[in-house]
Amino acid sequence: MSQVLTLWNKTTSLPAGKRIFSLLFAQKAPYFATIHPRFAEIRPNYAELVIPKRRSVHNHLKTVHAIALCNGLEAAMGALAEATIPADKRWIPKGMDISYTAKATSDITCIAETDPEQWTGDDPDLPVRVRGVREDGEVVIEGVIRLWVTPKKR
């Protein structure tokens, strides 16, 4: 089991465990801390977190700004990748193709998803489906983050 999944399982059994996990995960890459992510679920092929709508992530329209949304999607993708990748492989982000589909006027739930068979093939190009959803269910951002998945060097 990956370190991220082990930490998730360990911390979520504690009071305020999801908050503890979220704070620890946000330290992995300092820019994740700027969005104050609140992880809701992590399992192989799925990760979900919430970006709270707060002043520090506002744009001039007082909606959640585009870079904060992308940071949330990337954090969800990273948690999914760490929880899913086979022990003999490694990953690195390769690119992001995103569409902004509506104003982010509330807290935003960021979701990353893959299918199990994506991780077992020989194709190093692995697309992770991502989306951000407003509290009313409207998708405000969606797209694909492409990973480069290769065998670990021995």
Side-chain angles (χ1 to χ4, degrees), residues 45-65:
N45 300 296
Y46 187 87
E48 180 179 316
L49 63 86
V50 174
I51 301 172
K53 184 178 181 288
R54 52 194 300 157
R55 189 172 186 279
S56 63
V57 295
H58 280 180
N59 59 21
H60 64 290
L61 302 173
K62 295 194 171 125
T63 62
V64 181
H65 68 80

Side-chain angles (χ1 to χ4, degrees), residues 43 45-47 75-85 112-114 119 128:
R43 64 178 190 265
N45 300 296
Y46 187 87
M77 173 280 301
L80 172 150
E82 287 296 317
T84 309
I85 195 162
E113 297 178 289
T114 55
W119 297 91
V128 178

Side-chain angles (χ1 to χ4, degrees), residues 13 25 32-33 39 56 63 66 90-91 97 117 119 123 129-130 136 138 141 149:
S13 66
F25 188 90
F32 288 156
F39 278 86
S56 63
T63 62
R90 61 187 179 172
W91 66 273
D97 183 17
E117 59 274 5
W119 297 91
D123 186 356
R129 299 177 306 278
V130 292
D136 66 2
E138 181 81 20
I141 186 171
V149 179

